[in-house]
PDB file of all heavy atoms in Angstrom:
ATOM      1  N   LEU U  12      -7.434  11.342  -1.433  1.00 86.00           N
ATOM      2  CA  LEU U  12      -7.355  12.239  -2.584  1.00 86.00           C
ATOM      3  C   LEU U  12      -8.665  12.357  -3.372  1.00 86.00           C
ATOM      4  O   LEU U  12      -9.016  13.457  -3.803  1.00 86.00           O
ATOM      5  CB  LEU U  12      -6.218  11.797  -3.515  1.00 86.00           C
ATOM      6  CG  LEU U  12      -4.795  11.958  -2.968  1.00 86.00           C
ATOM      7  CD1 LEU U  12      -3.789  11.418  -3.964  1.00 86.00           C
ATOM      8  CD2 LEU U  12      -4.500  13.418  -2.652  1.00 86.00           C
ATOM      9  N   PRO U  13      -9.436  11.264  -3.579  1.00 86.00           N
ATOM     10  CA  PRO U  13     -10.679  11.410  -4.361  1.00 86.00           C
ATOM     11  C   PRO U  13     -11.718  12.313  -3.699  1.00 86.00           C
ATOM     12  O   PRO U  13     -12.649  12.767  -4.372  1.00 86.00           O
ATOM     13  CB  PRO U  13     -11.198   9.967  -4.463  1.00 86.00           C
ATOM     14  CG  PRO U  13     -10.007   9.113  -4.233  1.00 86.00           C
ATOM     15  CD  PRO U  13      -9.163   9.857  -3.262  1.00 86.00           C
ATOM     16  N   PHE U  14     -11.577  12.581  -2.383  1.00 90.00           N
ATOM     17  CA  PHE U  14     -12.560  13.390  -1.683  1.00 90.00           C
ATOM     18  C   PHE U  14     -12.224  14.881  -1.708  1.00 90.00           C
ATOM     19  O   PHE U  14     -12.986  15.700  -1.189  1.00 90.00           O
ATOM     20  CB  PHE U  14     -12.680  12.912  -0.228  1.00 90.00           C
ATOM     21  CG  PHE U  14     -13.109  11.469  -0.104  1.00 90.00           C
ATOM     22  CD1 PHE U  14     -12.180  10.477   0.174  1.00 90.00           C
ATOM     23  CD2 PHE U  14     -14.435  11.106  -0.292  1.00 90.00           C
ATOM     24  CE1 PHE U  14     -12.569   9.152   0.283  1.00 90.00           C
ATOM     25  CE2 PHE U  14     -14.831   9.787  -0.187  1.00 90.00           C
ATOM     26  CZ  PHE U  14     -13.896   8.799   0.094  1.00 90.00           C
ATOM     27  N   LEU U  15     -11.076  15.226  -2.291  1.00 89.00           N
ATOM     28  CA  LEU U  15     -10.686  16.625  -2.355  1.00 89.00           C
ATOM     29  C   LEU U  15     -11.259  17.274  -3.611  1.00 89.00           C
ATOM     30  O   LEU U  15     -11.300  16.664  -4.679  1.00 89.00           O
ATOM     31  CB  LEU U  15      -9.159  16.751  -2.369  1.00 89.00           C
ATOM     32  CG  LEU U  15      -8.436  16.238  -1.119  1.00 89.00           C
ATOM     33  CD1 LEU U  15      -6.921  16.372  -1.296  1.00 89.00           C
ATOM     34  CD2 LEU U  15      -8.892  16.984   0.130  1.00 89.00           C
ATOM     35  N   SER U  16     -11.695  18.507  -3.485  1.00 90.00           N
ATOM     36  CA  SER U  16     -12.282  19.231  -4.604  1.00 90.00           C
ATOM     37  C   SER U  16     -11.192  19.930  -5.412  1.00 90.00           C
ATOM     38  O   SER U  16     -10.003  19.735  -5.181  1.00 90.00           O
ATOM     39  CB  SER U  16     -13.284  20.263  -4.080  1.00 90.00           C
ATOM     40  OG  SER U  16     -12.597  21.314  -3.405  1.00 90.00           O
ATOM     41  N   LYS U  17     -11.612  20.780  -6.341  1.00 88.00           N
ATOM     42  CA  LYS U  17     -10.662  21.550  -7.135  1.00 88.00           C
ATOM     43  C   LYS U  17     -10.053  22.699  -6.338  1.00 88.00           C
ATOM     44  O   LYS U  17      -9.173  23.404  -6.830  1.00 88.00           O
ATOM     45  CB  LYS U  17     -11.348  22.100  -8.390  1.00 88.00           C
ATOM     46  CG  LYS U  17     -11.763  21.010  -9.384  1.00 88.00           C
ATOM     47  CD  LYS U  17     -12.386  21.614 -10.636  1.00 88.00           C
ATOM     48  CE  LYS U  17     -12.760  20.520 -11.632  1.00 88.00           C
ATOM     49  NZ  LYS U  17     -13.374  21.086 -12.869  1.00 88.00           N
ATOM     50  N   LYS U  18     -10.521  22.875  -5.108  1.00 92.00           N
ATOM     51  CA  LYS U  18      -9.964  23.893  -4.209  1.00 92.00           C
ATOM     52  C   LYS U  18      -9.579  23.212  -2.896  1.00 92.00           C
ATOM     53  O   LYS U  18     -10.219  23.405  -1.859  1.00 92.00           O
ATOM     54  CB  LYS U  18     -10.983  25.002  -3.964  1.00 92.00           C
ATOM     55  CG  LYS U  18     -11.411  25.715  -5.241  1.00 92.00           C
ATOM     56  CD  LYS U  18     -12.560  26.666  -4.973  1.00 92.00           C
ATOM     57  CE  LYS U  18     -13.083  27.236  -6.288  1.00 92.00           C
ATOM     58  NZ  LYS U  18     -14.302  28.064  -6.079  1.00 92.00           N
ATOM     59  N   PRO U  19      -8.517  22.413  -2.924  1.00 91.00           N
ATOM     60  CA  PRO U  19      -8.164  21.633  -1.730  1.00 91.00           C
ATOM     61  C   PRO U  19      -7.816  22.495  -0.523  1.00 91.00           C
ATOM     62  O   PRO U  19      -7.993  22.060   0.613  1.00 91.00           O
ATOM     63  CB  PRO U  19      -6.959  20.813  -2.195  1.00 91.00           C
ATOM     64  CG  PRO U  19      -6.411  21.547  -3.377  1.00 91.00           C
ATOM     65  CD  PRO U  19      -7.591  22.167  -4.045  1.00 91.00           C
ATOM     66  N   PHE U  20      -7.334  23.716  -0.740  1.00 94.00           N
ATOM     67  CA  PHE U  20      -6.991  24.582   0.394  1.00 94.00           C
ATOM     68  C   PHE U  20      -8.226  24.927   1.219  1.00 94.00           C
ATOM     69  O   PHE U  20      -8.136  25.123   2.436  1.00 94.00           O
ATOM     70  CB  PHE U  20      -6.286  25.854  -0.091  1.00 94.00           C
ATOM     71  CG  PHE U  20      -6.951  26.556  -1.231  1.00 94.00           C
ATOM     72  CD1 PHE U  20      -7.861  27.572  -1.009  1.00 94.00           C
ATOM     73  CD2 PHE U  20      -6.670  26.207  -2.548  1.00 94.00           C
ATOM     74  CE1 PHE U  20      -8.482  28.224  -2.057  1.00 94.00           C
ATOM     75  CE2 PHE U  20      -7.285  26.856  -3.613  1.00 94.00           C
ATOM     76  CZ  PHE U  20      -8.208  27.863  -3.364  1.00 94.00           C
ATOM     77  N   LEU U  21      -9.405  24.989   0.571  1.00 95.00           N
ATOM     78  CA  LEU U  21     -10.652  25.206   1.301  1.00 95.00           C
ATOM     79  C   LEU U  21     -11.106  23.927   1.994  1.00 95.00           C
ATOM     80  O   LEU U  21     -11.615  23.958   3.115  1.00 95.00           O
ATOM     81  CB  LEU U  21     -11.741  25.722   0.367  1.00 95.00           C
ATOM     82  CG  LEU U  21     -11.484  27.071  -0.301  1.00 95.00           C
ATOM     83  CD1 LEU U  21     -12.677  27.466  -1.185  1.00 95.00           C
ATOM     84  CD2 LEU U  21     -11.220  28.155   0.729  1.00 95.00           C
ATOM     85  N   ASP U  22     -10.912  22.787   1.322  1.00 94.00           N
ATOM     86  CA  ASP U  22     -11.235  21.499   1.945  1.00 94.00           C
ATOM     87  C   ASP U  22     -10.418  21.310   3.218  1.00 94.00           C
ATOM     88  O   ASP U  22     -10.932  20.827   4.238  1.00 94.00           O
ATOM     89  CB  ASP U  22     -10.932  20.341   0.983  1.00 94.00           C
ATOM     90  CG  ASP U  22     -11.750  20.403  -0.295  1.00 94.00           C
ATOM     91  OD1 ASP U  22     -12.870  20.945  -0.251  1.00 94.00           O
ATOM     92  OD2 ASP U  22     -11.256  19.916  -1.333  1.00 94.00           O
ATOM     93  N   PHE U  23      -9.158  21.692   3.176  1.00 95.00           N
ATOM     94  CA  PHE U  23      -8.273  21.516   4.328  1.00 95.00           C
ATOM     95  C   PHE U  23      -8.717  22.399   5.503  1.00 95.00           C
ATOM     96  O   PHE U  23      -8.577  21.998   6.664  1.00 95.00           O
ATOM     97  CB  PHE U  23      -6.832  21.845   3.942  1.00 95.00           C
ATOM     98  CG  PHE U  23      -6.216  20.866   2.971  1.00 95.00           C
ATOM     99  CD1 PHE U  23      -5.158  21.249   2.149  1.00 95.00           C
ATOM    100  CD2 PHE U  23      -6.686  19.567   2.876  1.00 95.00           C
ATOM    101  CE1 PHE U  23      -4.585  20.354   1.264  1.00 95.00           C
ATOM    102  CE2 PHE U  23      -6.125  18.662   1.983  1.00 95.00           C
ATOM    103  CZ  PHE U  23      -5.072  19.055   1.169  1.00 95.00           C
ATOM    104  N   ILE U  24      -9.233  23.580   5.210  1.00 97.00           N
ATOM    105  CA  ILE U  24      -9.743  24.431   6.289  1.00 97.00           C
ATOM    106  C   ILE U  24     -10.930  23.754   6.971  1.00 97.00           C
ATOM    107  O   ILE U  24     -11.034  23.745   8.205  1.00 97.00           O
ATOM    108  CB  ILE U  24     -10.134  25.819   5.749  1.00 97.00           C
ATOM    109  CG1 ILE U  24      -8.882  26.595   5.319  1.00 97.00           C
ATOM    110  CG2 ILE U  24     -10.904  26.605   6.802  1.00 97.00           C
ATOM    111  CD1 ILE U  24      -9.177  27.940   4.687  1.00 97.00           C
ATOM    112  N   ASP U  25     -11.812  23.167   6.173  1.00 97.00           N
ATOM    113  CA  ASP U  25     -12.961  22.445   6.741  1.00 97.00           C
ATOM    114  C   ASP U  25     -12.493  21.267   7.597  1.00 97.00           C
ATOM    115  O   ASP U  25     -13.021  21.030   8.693  1.00 97.00           O
ATOM    116  CB  ASP U  25     -13.881  21.954   5.626  1.00 97.00           C
ATOM    117  CG  ASP U  25     -14.627  23.096   4.937  1.00 97.00           C
ATOM    118  OD1 ASP U  25     -14.767  24.165   5.550  1.00 97.00           O
ATOM    119  OD2 ASP U  25     -15.049  22.919   3.772  1.00 97.00           O
ATOM    120  N   LEU U  26     -11.513  20.528   7.099  1.00 97.00           N
ATOM    121  CA  LEU U  26     -11.006  19.382   7.860  1.00 97.00           C
ATOM    122  C   LEU U  26     -10.321  19.826   9.143  1.00 97.00           C
ATOM    123  O   LEU U  26     -10.398  19.132  10.172  1.00 97.00           O
ATOM    124  CB  LEU U  26     -10.029  18.579   6.993  1.00 97.00           C
ATOM    125  CG  LEU U  26     -10.649  17.778   5.841  1.00 97.00           C
ATOM    126  CD1 LEU U  26      -9.571  17.235   4.916  1.00 97.00           C
ATOM    127  CD2 LEU U  26     -11.503  16.634   6.382  1.00 97.00           C
ATOM    128  N   SER U  27      -9.655  20.977   9.109  1.00 97.00           N
ATOM    129  CA  SER U  27      -8.960  21.463  10.311  1.00 97.00           C
ATOM    130  C   SER U  27      -9.942  21.805  11.429  1.00 97.00           C
ATOM    131  O   SER U  27      -9.589  21.740  12.606  1.00 97.00           O
ATOM    132  CB  SER U  27      -8.107  22.685   9.970  1.00 97.00           C
ATOM    133  OG  SER U  27      -8.906  23.826   9.704  1.00 97.00           O
ATOM    134  N   LYS U  28     -11.169  22.177  11.059  1.00 96.00           N
ATOM    135  CA  LYS U  28     -12.173  22.480  12.076  1.00 96.00           C
ATOM    136  C   LYS U  28     -12.568  21.226  12.851  1.00 96.00           C
ATOM    137  O   LYS U  28     -13.015  21.317  13.997  1.00 96.00           O
ATOM    138  CB  LYS U  28     -13.401  23.107  11.409  1.00 96.00           C
ATOM    139  CG  LYS U  28     -13.120  24.485  10.804  1.00 96.00           C
ATOM    140  CD  LYS U  28     -14.339  25.022  10.053  1.00 96.00           C
ATOM    141  CE  LYS U  28     -14.028  26.368   9.413  1.00 96.00           C
ATOM    142  NZ  LYS U  28     -15.176  26.877   8.604  1.00 96.00           N
ATOM    143  N   LYS U  29     -12.414  20.075  12.226  1.00 96.00           N
ATOM    144  CA  LYS U  29     -12.770  18.808  12.880  1.00 96.00           C
ATOM    145  C   LYS U  29     -11.566  18.150  13.542  1.00 96.00           C
ATOM    146  O   LYS U  29     -11.675  17.619  14.658  1.00 96.00           O
ATOM    147  CB  LYS U  29     -13.382  17.857  11.839  1.00 96.00           C
ATOM    148  CG  LYS U  29     -13.788  16.508  12.401  1.00 96.00           C
ATOM    149  CD  LYS U  29     -14.459  15.639  11.341  1.00 96.00           C
ATOM    150  CE  LYS U  29     -14.895  14.305  11.910  1.00 96.00           C
ATOM    151  NZ  LYS U  29     -15.538  13.441  10.877  1.00 96.00           N
ATOM    152  N   TYR U  30     -10.400  18.198  12.870  1.00 97.00           N
ATOM    153  CA  TYR U  30      -9.241  17.449  13.354  1.00 97.00           C
ATOM    154  C   TYR U  30      -8.137  18.315  13.956  1.00 97.00           C
ATOM    155  O   TYR U  30      -7.177  17.791  14.499  1.00 97.00           O
ATOM    156  CB  TYR U  30      -8.652  16.619  12.201  1.00 97.00           C
ATOM    157  CG  TYR U  30      -9.612  15.596  11.654  1.00 97.00           C
ATOM    158  CD1 TYR U  30     -10.258  15.795  10.437  1.00 97.00           C
ATOM    159  CD2 TYR U  30      -9.885  14.426  12.368  1.00 97.00           C
ATOM    160  CE1 TYR U  30     -11.139  14.852   9.930  1.00 97.00           C
ATOM    161  CE2 TYR U  30     -10.766  13.471  11.868  1.00 97.00           C
ATOM    162  CZ  TYR U  30     -11.391  13.697  10.642  1.00 97.00           C
ATOM    163  OH  TYR U  30     -12.265  12.764  10.149  1.00 97.00           O
ATOM    164  N   GLY U  31      -8.261  19.633  13.835  1.00 96.00           N
ATOM    165  CA  GLY U  31      -7.223  20.507  14.360  1.00 96.00           C
ATOM    166  C   GLY U  31      -6.381  21.106  13.243  1.00 96.00           C
ATOM    167  O   GLY U  31      -6.436  20.658  12.090  1.00 96.00           O
ATOM    168  N   ASN U  32      -5.590  22.102  13.584  1.00 97.00           N
ATOM    169  CA  ASN U  32      -4.796  22.818  12.585  1.00 97.00           C
ATOM    170  C   ASN U  32      -3.591  22.037  12.084  1.00 97.00           C
ATOM    171  O   ASN U  32      -2.922  22.471  11.145  1.00 97.00           O
ATOM    172  CB  ASN U  32      -4.337  24.166  13.156  1.00 97.00           C
ATOM    173  CG  ASN U  32      -5.469  25.169  13.229  1.00 97.00           C
ATOM    174  OD1 ASN U  32      -6.314  25.226  12.343  1.00 97.00           O
ATOM    175  ND2 ASN U  32      -5.509  25.943  14.302  1.00 97.00           N
ATOM    176  N   VAL U  33      -3.287  20.918  12.717  1.00 97.00           N
ATOM    177  CA  VAL U  33      -2.278  19.987  12.203  1.00 97.00           C
ATOM    178  C   VAL U  33      -2.969  18.634  12.073  1.00 97.00           C
ATOM    179  O   VAL U  33      -3.297  17.999  13.065  1.00 97.00           O
ATOM    180  CB  VAL U  33      -1.064  19.872  13.148  1.00 97.00           C
ATOM    181  CG1 VAL U  33      -0.046  18.867  12.596  1.00 97.00           C
ATOM    182  CG2 VAL U  33      -0.408  21.228  13.357  1.00 97.00           C
ATOM    183  N   PHE U  34      -3.241  18.217  10.850  1.00 97.00           N
ATOM    184  CA  PHE U  34      -3.940  16.945  10.654  1.00 97.00           C
ATOM    185  C   PHE U  34      -3.285  16.184   9.501  1.00 97.00           C
ATOM    186  O   PHE U  34      -2.404  16.698   8.811  1.00 97.00           O
ATOM    187  CB  PHE U  34      -5.437  17.153  10.384  1.00 97.00           C
ATOM    188  CG  PHE U  34      -5.753  17.823   9.076  1.00 97.00           C
ATOM    189  CD1 PHE U  34      -5.926  17.088   7.916  1.00 97.00           C
ATOM    190  CD2 PHE U  34      -5.891  19.198   9.004  1.00 97.00           C
ATOM    191  CE1 PHE U  34      -6.231  17.691   6.708  1.00 97.00           C
ATOM    192  CE2 PHE U  34      -6.196  19.820   7.809  1.00 97.00           C
ATOM    193  CZ  PHE U  34      -6.362  19.060   6.649  1.00 97.00           C
ATOM    194  N   SER U  35      -3.720  14.958   9.303  1.00 96.00           N
ATOM    195  CA  SER U  35      -3.087  14.097   8.301  1.00 96.00           C
ATOM    196  C   SER U  35      -4.129  13.388   7.458  1.00 96.00           C
ATOM    197  O   SER U  35      -5.308  13.299   7.822  1.00 96.00           O
ATOM    198  CB  SER U  35      -2.182  13.060   8.979  1.00 96.00           C
ATOM    199  OG  SER U  35      -2.971  12.128   9.709  1.00 96.00           O
ATOM    200  N   PHE U  36      -3.683  12.892   6.332  1.00 93.00           N
ATOM    201  CA  PHE U  36      -4.491  11.984   5.521  1.00 93.00           C
ATOM    202  C   PHE U  36      -3.535  11.157   4.672  1.00 93.00           C
ATOM    203  O   PHE U  36      -2.349  11.473   4.558  1.00 93.00           O
ATOM    204  CB  PHE U  36      -5.512  12.730   4.659  1.00 93.00           C
ATOM    205  CG  PHE U  36      -4.918  13.586   3.569  1.00 93.00           C
ATOM    206  CD1 PHE U  36      -4.677  13.064   2.304  1.00 93.00           C
ATOM    207  CD2 PHE U  36      -4.611  14.917   3.801  1.00 93.00           C
ATOM    208  CE1 PHE U  36      -4.139  13.850   1.297  1.00 93.00           C
ATOM    209  CE2 PHE U  36      -4.077  15.708   2.807  1.00 93.00           C
ATOM    210  CZ  PHE U  36      -3.842  15.172   1.544  1.00 93.00           C
ATOM    211  N   ARG U  37      -4.062  10.118   4.103  1.00 92.00           N
ATOM    212  CA  ARG U  37      -3.280   9.268   3.221  1.00 92.00           C
ATOM    213  C   ARG U  37      -3.504   9.743   1.795  1.00 92.00           C
ATOM    214  O   ARG U  37      -4.645   9.776   1.305  1.00 92.00           O
ATOM    215  CB  ARG U  37      -3.709   7.804   3.366  1.00 92.00           C
ATOM    216  CG  ARG U  37      -2.829   6.811   2.630  1.00 92.00           C
ATOM    217  CD  ARG U  37      -1.483   6.638   3.286  1.00 92.00           C
ATOM    218  NE  ARG U  37      -0.703   5.570   2.637  1.00 92.00           N
ATOM    219  CZ  ARG U  37       0.570   5.316   2.910  1.00 92.00           C
ATOM    220  NH1 ARG U  37       1.209   6.029   3.834  1.00 92.00           N
ATOM    221  NH2 ARG U  37       1.198   4.337   2.297  1.00 92.00           N
ATOM    222  N   GLY U  38      -2.439  10.158   1.118  1.00 86.00           N
ATOM    223  CA  GLY U  38      -2.535  10.602  -0.260  1.00 86.00           C
ATOM    224  C   GLY U  38      -1.831   9.611  -1.159  1.00 86.00           C
ATOM    225  O   GLY U  38      -0.608   9.635  -1.287  1.00 86.00           O
ATOM    226  N   GLY U  39      -2.594   8.719  -1.782  1.00 82.00           N
ATOM    227  CA  GLY U  39      -1.970   7.681  -2.588  1.00 82.00           C
ATOM    228  C   GLY U  39      -1.104   6.800  -1.707  1.00 82.00           C
ATOM    229  O   GLY U  39      -1.570   6.224  -0.724  1.00 82.00           O
ATOM    230  N   SER U  40       0.183   6.710  -2.020  1.00 80.00           N
ATOM    231  CA  SER U  40       1.106   5.894  -1.225  1.00 80.00           C
ATOM    232  C   SER U  40       1.886   6.731  -0.224  1.00 80.00           C
ATOM    233  O   SER U  40       2.873   6.271   0.332  1.00 80.00           O
ATOM    234  CB  SER U  40       2.072   5.161  -2.158  1.00 80.00           C
ATOM    235  OG  SER U  40       2.784   6.090  -2.965  1.00 80.00           O
ATOM    236  N   LYS U  41       1.452   7.981   0.017  1.00 86.00           N
ATOM    237  CA  LYS U  41       2.182   8.890   0.891  1.00 86.00           C
ATOM    238  C   LYS U  41       1.333   9.295   2.099  1.00 86.00           C
ATOM    239  O   LYS U  41       0.126   9.527   1.987  1.00 86.00           O
ATOM    240  CB  LYS U  41       2.562  10.167   0.133  1.00 86.00           C
ATOM    241  CG  LYS U  41       3.580   9.958  -0.986  1.00 86.00           C
ATOM    242  CD  LYS U  41       4.977   9.820  -0.412  1.00 86.00           C
ATOM    243  CE  LYS U  41       6.033   9.791  -1.506  1.00 86.00           C
ATOM    244  NZ  LYS U  41       7.389   9.734  -0.957  1.00 86.00           N
ATOM    245  N   ASN U  42       1.989   9.389   3.262  1.00 93.00           N
ATOM    246  CA  ASN U  42       1.375  10.044   4.403  1.00 93.00           C
ATOM    247  C   ASN U  42       1.533  11.550   4.218  1.00 93.00           C
ATOM    248  O   ASN U  42       2.633  12.037   3.940  1.00 93.00           O
ATOM    249  CB  ASN U  42       2.048   9.623   5.710  1.00 93.00           C
ATOM    250  CG  ASN U  42       1.630   8.244   6.158  1.00 93.00           C
ATOM    251  OD1 ASN U  42       0.494   7.832   5.933  1.00 93.00           O
ATOM    252  ND2 ASN U  42       2.534   7.512   6.792  1.00 93.00           N
ATOM    253  N   VAL U  43       0.439  12.297   4.364  1.00 93.00           N
ATOM    254  CA  VAL U  43       0.453  13.741   4.155  1.00 93.00           C
ATOM    255  C   VAL U  43      -0.001  14.431   5.430  1.00 93.00           C
ATOM    256  O   VAL U  43      -1.025  14.061   6.008  1.00 93.00           O
ATOM    257  CB  VAL U  43      -0.478  14.151   2.992  1.00 93.00           C
ATOM    258  CG1 VAL U  43      -0.416  15.666   2.767  1.00 93.00           C
ATOM    259  CG2 VAL U  43      -0.102  13.400   1.718  1.00 93.00           C
ATOM    260  N   VAL U  44       0.764  15.422   5.872  1.00 96.00           N
ATOM    261  CA  VAL U  44       0.389  16.239   7.017  1.00 96.00           C
ATOM    262  C   VAL U  44       0.150  17.658   6.529  1.00 96.00           C
ATOM    263  O   VAL U  44       0.974  18.227   5.811  1.00 96.00           O
ATOM    264  CB  VAL U  44       1.477  16.224   8.108  1.00 96.00           C
ATOM    265  CG1 VAL U  44       1.200  17.292   9.160  1.00 96.00           C
ATOM    266  CG2 VAL U  44       1.553  14.860   8.761  1.00 96.00           C
ATOM    267  N   VAL U  45      -0.996  18.223   6.899  1.00 96.00           N
ATOM    268  CA  VAL U  45      -1.381  19.565   6.471  1.00 96.00           C
ATOM    269  C   VAL U  45      -1.293  20.517   7.656  1.00 96.00           C
ATOM    270  O   VAL U  45      -1.805  20.215   8.742  1.00 96.00           O
ATOM    271  CB  VAL U  45      -2.811  19.576   5.892  1.00 96.00           C
ATOM    272  CG1 VAL U  45      -3.184  20.981   5.417  1.00 96.00           C
ATOM    273  CG2 VAL U  45      -2.939  18.577   4.756  1.00 96.00           C
ATOM    274  N   LEU U  46      -0.665  21.665   7.436  1.00 98.00           N
ATOM    275  CA  LEU U  46      -0.507  22.680   8.476  1.00 98.00           C
ATOM    276  C   LEU U  46      -1.402  23.872   8.133  1.00 98.00           C
ATOM    277  O   LEU U  46      -1.199  24.526   7.111  1.00 98.00           O
ATOM    278  CB  LEU U  46       0.952  23.130   8.569  1.00 98.00           C
ATOM    279  CG  LEU U  46       2.005  22.015   8.657  1.00 98.00           C
ATOM    280  CD1 LEU U  46       3.397  22.612   8.740  1.00 98.00           C
ATOM    281  CD2 LEU U  46       1.733  21.106   9.848  1.00 98.00           C
ATOM    282  N   CYS U  47      -2.384  24.147   8.979  1.00 97.00           N
ATOM    283  CA  CYS U  47      -3.340  25.226   8.725  1.00 97.00           C
ATOM    284  C   CYS U  47      -3.208  26.351   9.742  1.00 97.00           C
ATOM    285  O   CYS U  47      -4.139  27.141   9.931  1.00 97.00           O
ATOM    286  CB  CYS U  47      -4.771  24.688   8.745  1.00 97.00           C
ATOM    287  SG  CYS U  47      -5.174  23.614   7.357  1.00 97.00           S
ATOM    288  N   ASP U  48      -2.067  26.438  10.384  1.00 95.00           N
ATOM    289  CA  ASP U  48      -1.857  27.430  11.432  1.00 95.00           C
ATOM    290  C   ASP U  48      -0.485  28.056  11.266  1.00 95.00           C
ATOM    291  O   ASP U  48       0.493  27.368  10.950  1.00 95.00           O
ATOM    292  CB  ASP U  48      -1.975  26.768  12.800  1.00 95.00           C
ATOM    293  CG  ASP U  48      -1.584  27.701  13.930  1.00 95.00           C
ATOM    294  OD1 ASP U  48      -2.339  28.654  14.190  1.00 95.00           O
ATOM    295  OD2 ASP U  48      -0.528  27.476  14.550  1.00 95.00           O
ATOM    296  N   PHE U  49      -0.383  29.380  11.478  1.00 97.00           N
ATOM    297  CA  PHE U  49       0.893  30.065  11.279  1.00 97.00           C
ATOM    298  C   PHE U  49       1.990  29.514  12.179  1.00 97.00           C
ATOM    299  O   PHE U  49       3.121  29.295  11.731  1.00 97.00           O
ATOM    300  CB  PHE U  49       0.734  31.569  11.534  1.00 97.00           C
ATOM    301  CG  PHE U  49       2.050  32.283  11.613  1.00 97.00           C
ATOM    302  CD1 PHE U  49       2.848  32.437  10.476  1.00 97.00           C
ATOM    303  CD2 PHE U  49       2.518  32.777  12.821  1.00 97.00           C
ATOM    304  CE1 PHE U  49       4.080  33.063  10.551  1.00 97.00           C
ATOM    305  CE2 PHE U  49       3.742  33.414  12.904  1.00 97.00           C
ATOM    306  CZ  PHE U  49       4.524  33.556  11.764  1.00 97.00           C
ATOM    307  N   LEU U  50       1.693  29.280  13.451  1.00 97.00           N
ATOM    308  CA  LEU U  50       2.728  28.802  14.367  1.00 97.00           C
ATOM    309  C   LEU U  50       3.247  27.431  13.953  1.00 97.00           C
ATOM    310  O   LEU U  50       4.444  27.151  14.065  1.00 97.00           O
ATOM    311  CB  LEU U  50       2.187  28.762  15.799  1.00 97.00           C
ATOM    312  CG  LEU U  50       1.846  30.123  16.420  1.00 97.00           C
ATOM    313  CD1 LEU U  50       1.284  29.937  17.824  1.00 97.00           C
ATOM    314  CD2 LEU U  50       3.079  31.025  16.453  1.00 97.00           C
ATOM    315  N   ALA U  51       2.355  26.580  13.447  1.00 97.00           N
ATOM    316  CA  ALA U  51       2.783  25.257  12.978  1.00 97.00           C
ATOM    317  C   ALA U  51       3.648  25.384  11.734  1.00 97.00           C
ATOM    318  O   ALA U  51       4.679  24.713  11.599  1.00 97.00           O
ATOM    319  CB  ALA U  51       1.563  24.382  12.690  1.00 97.00           C
ATOM    320  N   VAL U  52       3.236  26.258  10.794  1.00 97.00           N
ATOM    321  CA  VAL U  52       4.019  26.481   9.584  1.00 97.00           C
ATOM    322  C   VAL U  52       5.394  27.042   9.946  1.00 97.00           C
ATOM    323  O   VAL U  52       6.429  26.589   9.434  1.00 97.00           O
ATOM    324  CB  VAL U  52       3.294  27.452   8.628  1.00 97.00           C
ATOM    325  CG1 VAL U  52       4.198  27.856   7.473  1.00 97.00           C
ATOM    326  CG2 VAL U  52       2.014  26.807   8.100  1.00 97.00           C
TER     327      VAL U  52
END
């Protein structure tokens, strides 16, 4: 969470270019999965 900017949706697009359109991170005490692709959503 501390590495996310005030525009996390743009940060997630950058991360998806490295990890894929379905990627994860640890947000506090929660596992978070981000979907950046229509078919995944």
Side-chain angles (χ1 to χ4, degrees):
L12 292 177
F14 300 101
L15 297 178
S16 70
K17 293 182 179 180
K18 300 172 187 174
F20 48 93
L21 298 181
D22 299 331
F23 292 156
I24 291 176
D25 290 338
L26 289 170
S27 71
K28 293 175 182 177
K29 180 177 181 181
Y30 298 104
N32 286 322
V33 179
F34 67 89
S35 68
F36 67 90
R37 188 72 174 172
S40 58
K41 293 282 187 177
N42 283 327
V43 182
V44 169
V45 181
L46 311 180
C47 291
D48 172 70
F49 169 69
L50 294 178
V52 171

